[in-house]
Amino acid sequence: MTGAPQPPLVEVVEYTDPLCPWSWGSEPVLRRLREALAGQVRWRRVYAILFDHDDDPAPDPAAETAWYARYVAEVAAHTLAPRAVRLSRVAASSWPSSLVAKAAELQGPAVAERVLRRLRETVFVLGEPADTTALALSAVHGVPDLDPARLAADAARADVLERVRADRAEARRPVPDVRSVRGGSPHPGAAKETADGGYRYALPTLLVRAPSGYRAVPGLRSFEEYATAVDAVGPGLLKAAGPLSPAQALERHRSLTEPERPWLAEGAWPPPHAVRVDTGNGPLWLHPREAAVHPATRRPLPQGPDPEAGDRSTE
């Protein structure tokens, strides 16, 4: 007897923010995990709003930017993820990029993945965070299969705003397990206290859950730690996908960092057609069709404080 396909029983909830450096640094492992679980789980992103509207403005924006650039450089020293050579400013708000990322989900998972990737790259490759609606929409210009007019309209819809508000609220109801977590990571991921006396998930945090229970995996973690959590809740879900060639990986992902290469491609690197974009911590590699529309190749990188030169929540 056959019937309609049943939805996956296991859900992976990723608490994140487009402008979070630890989330950016976790992308190599999380991209590989998403591939290993493709079609086996429901993967849902929750935008936690790292930089909120009610954050107090910095009394000295230049000093705050210099401090934050050093902080991002310290994170990149652990994760090896690219960081901008110069950071123009600290993001004023996570709301615009989160609204655009959430609106992109209405155009399908492939579009949503590429939109979120571009939004992350605005701050960690370009040094120009997508902290206004205009910047966020400009950053995703040329994403394959994206309808930009629809994206702009959807990002302004009341129901999309309510979904992001719901994300923010959900991120501030962490499970008890993450109030105190074991060390062993430069970013263990214990929940953050909020100004109102509550808590918020540290970013990134993955919550793997099913009717039988859940496992929380906070902070910067290894693939093995994520796999153990998945196996505890949904045994046998992880699948060993065959390795992609460098050309195939670049075709699929359009944008790859050096730390992502060994997780997502196997073979001599770079493929002959790859376009290199230098950052302050190693190159970003773009597919030529991506390079033709990517903001890193459309305009000069901004100038700003040097991260080696001399409070907001940072994860």
Side-chain angles (χ1 to χ4, degrees), residues 109-130:
V111 167
E113 286 291 330
R114 286 173 171 165
V115 163
L116 177 57
R117 177 67 174 211
R118 285 279 196 89
L119 294 169
R120 295 196 196 281
E121 289 171 348
T122 63
V123 61
F124 301 113
V125 175
L126 301 174
E128 185 76 21

PDB file of all heavy atoms in Angstrom, residues 109-130:
ATOM      1  N   PRO A 109      14.517  26.026  -0.747  1.00  0.00           N
ATOM      2  CA  PRO A 109      15.725  25.848   0.056  1.00  0.00           C
ATOM      3  C   PRO A 109      17.017  26.207  -0.653  1.00  0.00           C
ATOM      4  O   PRO A 109      17.946  26.726  -0.021  1.00  0.00           O
ATOM      5  CB  PRO A 109      15.689  24.363   0.439  1.00  0.00           C
ATOM      6  CG  PRO A 109      14.750  23.716  -0.524  1.00  0.00           C
ATOM      7  CD  PRO A 109      13.759  24.761  -0.903  1.00  0.00           C
ATOM      8  N   ALA A 110      17.119  25.939  -1.949  1.00  0.00           N
ATOM      9  CA  ALA A 110      18.371  26.249  -2.654  1.00  0.00           C
ATOM     10  C   ALA A 110      18.605  27.758  -2.697  1.00  0.00           C
ATOM     11  O   ALA A 110      19.717  28.238  -2.446  1.00  0.00           O
ATOM     12  CB  ALA A 110      18.341  25.674  -4.068  1.00  0.00           C
ATOM     13  N   VAL A 111      17.555  28.514  -3.003  1.00  0.00           N
ATOM     14  CA  VAL A 111      17.672  29.972  -3.014  1.00  0.00           C
ATOM     15  C   VAL A 111      17.985  30.481  -1.611  1.00  0.00           C
ATOM     16  O   VAL A 111      18.851  31.345  -1.419  1.00  0.00           O
ATOM     17  CB  VAL A 111      16.384  30.609  -3.562  1.00  0.00           C
ATOM     18  CG1 VAL A 111      16.364  32.114  -3.294  1.00  0.00           C
ATOM     19  CG2 VAL A 111      16.258  30.353  -5.059  1.00  0.00           C
ATOM     20  N   ALA A 112      17.301  29.936  -0.605  1.00  0.00           N
ATOM     21  CA  ALA A 112      17.513  30.392   0.773  1.00  0.00           C
ATOM     22  C   ALA A 112      18.946  30.161   1.224  1.00  0.00           C
ATOM     23  O   ALA A 112      19.541  31.016   1.893  1.00  0.00           O
ATOM     24  CB  ALA A 112      16.543  29.680   1.713  1.00  0.00           C
ATOM     25  N   GLU A 113      19.518  29.013   0.862  1.00  0.00           N
ATOM     26  CA  GLU A 113      20.905  28.724   1.233  1.00  0.00           C
ATOM     27  C   GLU A 113      21.849  29.757   0.638  1.00  0.00           C
ATOM     28  O   GLU A 113      22.757  30.268   1.316  1.00  0.00           O
ATOM     29  CB  GLU A 113      21.306  27.328   0.745  1.00  0.00           C
ATOM     30  CG  GLU A 113      20.716  26.180   1.519  1.00  0.00           C
ATOM     31  CD  GLU A 113      21.277  26.071   2.924  1.00  0.00           C
ATOM     32  OE1 GLU A 113      22.436  26.452   3.143  1.00  0.00           O
ATOM     33  OE2 GLU A 113      20.541  25.611   3.814  1.00  0.00           O
ATOM     34  N   ARG A 114      21.655  30.067  -0.627  1.00  0.00           N
ATOM     35  CA  ARG A 114      22.584  30.980  -1.293  1.00  0.00           C
ATOM     36  C   ARG A 114      22.396  32.417  -0.831  1.00  0.00           C
ATOM     37  O   ARG A 114      23.358  33.182  -0.757  1.00  0.00           O
ATOM     38  CB  ARG A 114      22.434  30.831  -2.803  1.00  0.00           C
ATOM     39  CG  ARG A 114      23.065  29.527  -3.300  1.00  0.00           C
ATOM     40  CD  ARG A 114      22.805  29.228  -4.736  1.00  0.00           C
ATOM     41  NE  ARG A 114      23.628  28.090  -5.177  1.00  0.00           N
ATOM     42  CZ  ARG A 114      23.412  27.414  -6.293  1.00  0.00           C
ATOM     43  NH1 ARG A 114      22.422  27.758  -7.093  1.00  0.00           N
ATOM     44  NH2 ARG A 114      24.190  26.412  -6.626  1.00  0.00           N
ATOM     45  N   VAL A 115      21.168  32.785  -0.515  1.00  0.00           N
ATOM     46  CA  VAL A 115      20.930  34.122   0.020  1.00  0.00           C
ATOM     47  C   VAL A 115      21.610  34.271   1.373  1.00  0.00           C
ATOM     48  O   VAL A 115      22.308  35.268   1.632  1.00  0.00           O
ATOM     49  CB  VAL A 115      19.418  34.404   0.115  1.00  0.00           C
ATOM     50  CG1 VAL A 115      19.133  35.594   1.030  1.00  0.00           C
ATOM     51  CG2 VAL A 115      18.841  34.675  -1.276  1.00  0.00           C
ATOM     52  N   LEU A 116      21.430  33.306   2.257  1.00  0.00           N
ATOM     53  CA  LEU A 116      22.067  33.383   3.572  1.00  0.00           C
ATOM     54  C   LEU A 116      23.587  33.431   3.430  1.00  0.00           C
ATOM     55  O   LEU A 116      24.266  34.196   4.139  1.00  0.00           O
ATOM     56  CB  LEU A 116      21.649  32.196   4.430  1.00  0.00           C
ATOM     57  CG  LEU A 116      22.297  32.119   5.813  1.00  0.00           C
ATOM     58  CD1 LEU A 116      22.031  33.375   6.637  1.00  0.00           C
ATOM     59  CD2 LEU A 116      21.812  30.869   6.558  1.00  0.00           C
ATOM     60  N   ARG A 117      24.125  32.645   2.532  1.00  0.00           N
ATOM     61  CA  ARG A 117      25.574  32.650   2.328  1.00  0.00           C
ATOM     62  C   ARG A 117      26.059  34.041   1.923  1.00  0.00           C
ATOM     63  O   ARG A 117      27.054  34.549   2.471  1.00  0.00           O
ATOM     64  CB  ARG A 117      25.930  31.629   1.245  1.00  0.00           C
ATOM     65  CG  ARG A 117      27.408  31.580   0.880  1.00  0.00           C
ATOM     66  CD  ARG A 117      28.233  31.054   2.021  1.00  0.00           C
ATOM     67  NE  ARG A 117      29.619  30.878   1.620  1.00  0.00           N
ATOM     68  CZ  ARG A 117      30.421  29.950   2.117  1.00  0.00           C
ATOM     69  NH1 ARG A 117      29.980  29.112   3.034  1.00  0.00           N
ATOM     70  NH2 ARG A 117      31.670  29.850   1.718  1.00  0.00           N
ATOM     71  N   ARG A 118      25.371  34.673   0.993  1.00  0.00           N
ATOM     72  CA  ARG A 118      25.770  36.016   0.564  1.00  0.00           C
ATOM     73  C   ARG A 118      25.702  36.997   1.736  1.00  0.00           C
ATOM     74  O   ARG A 118      26.568  37.862   1.885  1.00  0.00           O
ATOM     75  CB  ARG A 118      24.871  36.498  -0.555  1.00  0.00           C
ATOM     76  CG  ARG A 118      25.140  35.879  -1.899  1.00  0.00           C
ATOM     77  CD  ARG A 118      26.315  36.553  -2.621  1.00  0.00           C
ATOM     78  NE  ARG A 118      26.283  36.173  -4.023  1.00  0.00           N
ATOM     79  CZ  ARG A 118      25.622  36.835  -4.960  1.00  0.00           C
ATOM     80  NH1 ARG A 118      24.959  37.926  -4.648  1.00  0.00           N
ATOM     81  NH2 ARG A 118      25.629  36.409  -6.206  1.00  0.00           N
ATOM     82  N   LEU A 119      24.667  36.896   2.541  1.00  0.00           N
ATOM     83  CA  LEU A 119      24.530  37.800   3.675  1.00  0.00           C
ATOM     84  C   LEU A 119      25.676  37.624   4.659  1.00  0.00           C
ATOM     85  O   LEU A 119      26.199  38.594   5.206  1.00  0.00           O
ATOM     86  CB  LEU A 119      23.176  37.583   4.357  1.00  0.00           C
ATOM     87  CG  LEU A 119      21.954  37.966   3.514  1.00  0.00           C
ATOM     88  CD1 LEU A 119      20.683  37.456   4.175  1.00  0.00           C
ATOM     89  CD2 LEU A 119      21.884  39.469   3.296  1.00  0.00           C
ATOM     90  N   ARG A 120      26.087  36.397   4.907  1.00  0.00           N
ATOM     91  CA  ARG A 120      27.244  36.153   5.773  1.00  0.00           C
ATOM     92  C   ARG A 120      28.499  36.779   5.166  1.00  0.00           C
ATOM     93  O   ARG A 120      29.318  37.378   5.873  1.00  0.00           O
ATOM     94  CB  ARG A 120      27.455  34.652   5.968  1.00  0.00           C
ATOM     95  CG  ARG A 120      26.348  33.913   6.711  1.00  0.00           C
ATOM     96  CD  ARG A 120      26.855  32.560   7.171  1.00  0.00           C
ATOM     97  NE  ARG A 120      25.822  31.637   7.566  1.00  0.00           N
ATOM     98  CZ  ARG A 120      25.186  31.644   8.740  1.00  0.00           C
ATOM     99  NH1 ARG A 120      25.456  32.597   9.619  1.00  0.00           N
ATOM    100  NH2 ARG A 120      24.265  30.737   9.024  1.00  0.00           N
ATOM    101  N   GLU A 121      28.656  36.649   3.876  1.00  0.00           N
ATOM    102  CA  GLU A 121      29.876  37.130   3.232  1.00  0.00           C
ATOM    103  C   GLU A 121      29.978  38.649   3.235  1.00  0.00           C
ATOM    104  O   GLU A 121      31.082  39.202   3.122  1.00  0.00           O
ATOM    105  CB  GLU A 121      29.943  36.582   1.796  1.00  0.00           C
ATOM    106  CG  GLU A 121      30.226  35.088   1.759  1.00  0.00           C
ATOM    107  CD  GLU A 121      30.077  34.466   0.384  1.00  0.00           C
ATOM    108  OE1 GLU A 121      29.523  35.133  -0.521  1.00  0.00           O
ATOM    109  OE2 GLU A 121      30.493  33.291   0.220  1.00  0.00           O
ATOM    110  N   THR A 122      28.852  39.361   3.412  1.00  0.00           N
ATOM    111  CA  THR A 122      28.952  40.821   3.423  1.00  0.00           C
ATOM    112  C   THR A 122      29.873  41.303   4.535  1.00  0.00           C
ATOM    113  O   THR A 122      30.678  42.213   4.330  1.00  0.00           O
ATOM    114  CB  THR A 122      27.575  41.498   3.584  1.00  0.00           C
ATOM    115  OG1 THR A 122      26.994  41.147   4.837  1.00  0.00           O
ATOM    116  CG2 THR A 122      26.656  41.139   2.456  1.00  0.00           C
ATOM    117  N   VAL A 123      29.757  40.697   5.703  1.00  0.00           N
ATOM    118  CA  VAL A 123      30.576  41.164   6.822  1.00  0.00           C
ATOM    119  C   VAL A 123      31.917  40.450   6.873  1.00  0.00           C
ATOM    120  O   VAL A 123      32.946  41.074   7.145  1.00  0.00           O
ATOM    121  CB  VAL A 123      29.804  41.038   8.158  1.00  0.00           C
ATOM    122  CG1 VAL A 123      29.415  39.617   8.469  1.00  0.00           C
ATOM    123  CG2 VAL A 123      30.610  41.625   9.299  1.00  0.00           C
ATOM    124  N   PHE A 124      31.953  39.139   6.586  1.00  0.00           N
ATOM    125  CA  PHE A 124      33.183  38.390   6.808  1.00  0.00           C
ATOM    126  C   PHE A 124      34.108  38.338   5.590  1.00  0.00           C
ATOM    127  O   PHE A 124      35.262  37.927   5.723  1.00  0.00           O
ATOM    128  CB  PHE A 124      32.842  36.976   7.302  1.00  0.00           C
ATOM    129  CG  PHE A 124      32.043  37.019   8.572  1.00  0.00           C
ATOM    130  CD1 PHE A 124      30.729  36.594   8.607  1.00  0.00           C
ATOM    131  CD2 PHE A 124      32.603  37.551   9.728  1.00  0.00           C
ATOM    132  CE1 PHE A 124      29.988  36.673   9.767  1.00  0.00           C
ATOM    133  CE2 PHE A 124      31.870  37.633  10.895  1.00  0.00           C
ATOM    134  CZ  PHE A 124      30.552  37.202  10.915  1.00  0.00           C
ATOM    135  N   VAL A 125      33.639  38.756   4.438  1.00  0.00           N
ATOM    136  CA  VAL A 125      34.498  38.875   3.256  1.00  0.00           C
ATOM    137  C   VAL A 125      34.639  40.345   2.860  1.00  0.00           C
ATOM    138  O   VAL A 125      35.745  40.846   2.665  1.00  0.00           O
ATOM    139  CB  VAL A 125      33.943  38.047   2.076  1.00  0.00           C
ATOM    140  CG1 VAL A 125      34.781  38.275   0.812  1.00  0.00           C
ATOM    141  CG2 VAL A 125      33.930  36.565   2.434  1.00  0.00           C
ATOM    142  N   LEU A 126      33.503  41.055   2.793  1.00  0.00           N
ATOM    143  CA  LEU A 126      33.525  42.447   2.339  1.00  0.00           C
ATOM    144  C   LEU A 126      33.825  43.438   3.451  1.00  0.00           C
ATOM    145  O   LEU A 126      34.274  44.554   3.184  1.00  0.00           O
ATOM    146  CB  LEU A 126      32.180  42.806   1.709  1.00  0.00           C
ATOM    147  CG  LEU A 126      31.719  41.984   0.515  1.00  0.00           C
ATOM    148  CD1 LEU A 126      30.324  42.383   0.123  1.00  0.00           C
ATOM    149  CD2 LEU A 126      32.678  42.148  -0.646  1.00  0.00           C
ATOM    150  N   GLY A 127      33.522  43.065   4.700  1.00  0.00           N
ATOM    151  CA  GLY A 127      33.678  44.010   5.799  1.00  0.00           C
ATOM    152  C   GLY A 127      32.601  45.072   5.833  1.00  0.00           C
ATOM    153  O   GLY A 127      32.745  46.107   6.476  1.00  0.00           O
ATOM    154  N   GLU A 128      31.495  44.827   5.139  1.00  0.00           N
ATOM    155  CA  GLU A 128      30.403  45.792   5.020  1.00  0.00           C
ATOM    156  C   GLU A 128      29.106  45.060   5.385  1.00  0.00           C
ATOM    157  O   GLU A 128      28.397  44.545   4.514  1.00  0.00           O
ATOM    158  CB  GLU A 128      30.313  46.325   3.589  1.00  0.00           C
ATOM    159  CG  GLU A 128      29.291  47.420   3.366  1.00  0.00           C
ATOM    160  CD  GLU A 128      29.728  48.772   3.901  1.00  0.00           C
ATOM    161  OE1 GLU A 128      30.950  48.957   4.089  1.00  0.00           O
ATOM    162  OE2 GLU A 128      28.867  49.618   4.125  1.00  0.00           O
ATOM    163  N   PRO A 129      28.771  44.968   6.680  1.00  0.00           N
ATOM    164  CA  PRO A 129      27.620  44.149   7.094  1.00  0.00           C
ATOM    165  C   PRO A 129      26.315  44.605   6.469  1.00  0.00           C
ATOM    166  O   PRO A 129      26.052  45.805   6.334  1.00  0.00           O
ATOM    167  CB  PRO A 129      27.594  44.321   8.618  1.00  0.00           C
ATOM    168  CG  PRO A 129      28.399  45.550   8.909  1.00  0.00           C
ATOM    169  CD  PRO A 129      29.417  45.638   7.823  1.00  0.00           C
ATOM    170  N   ALA A 130      25.492  43.635   6.100  1.00  0.00           N
ATOM    171  CA  ALA A 130      24.187  43.927   5.493  1.00  0.00           C
ATOM    172  C   ALA A 130      23.200  44.264   6.597  1.00  0.00           C
ATOM    173  O   ALA A 130      22.315  43.478   6.938  1.00  0.00           O
ATOM    174  CB  ALA A 130      23.708  42.728   4.679  1.00  0.00           C
TER     175      ALA A 130
END
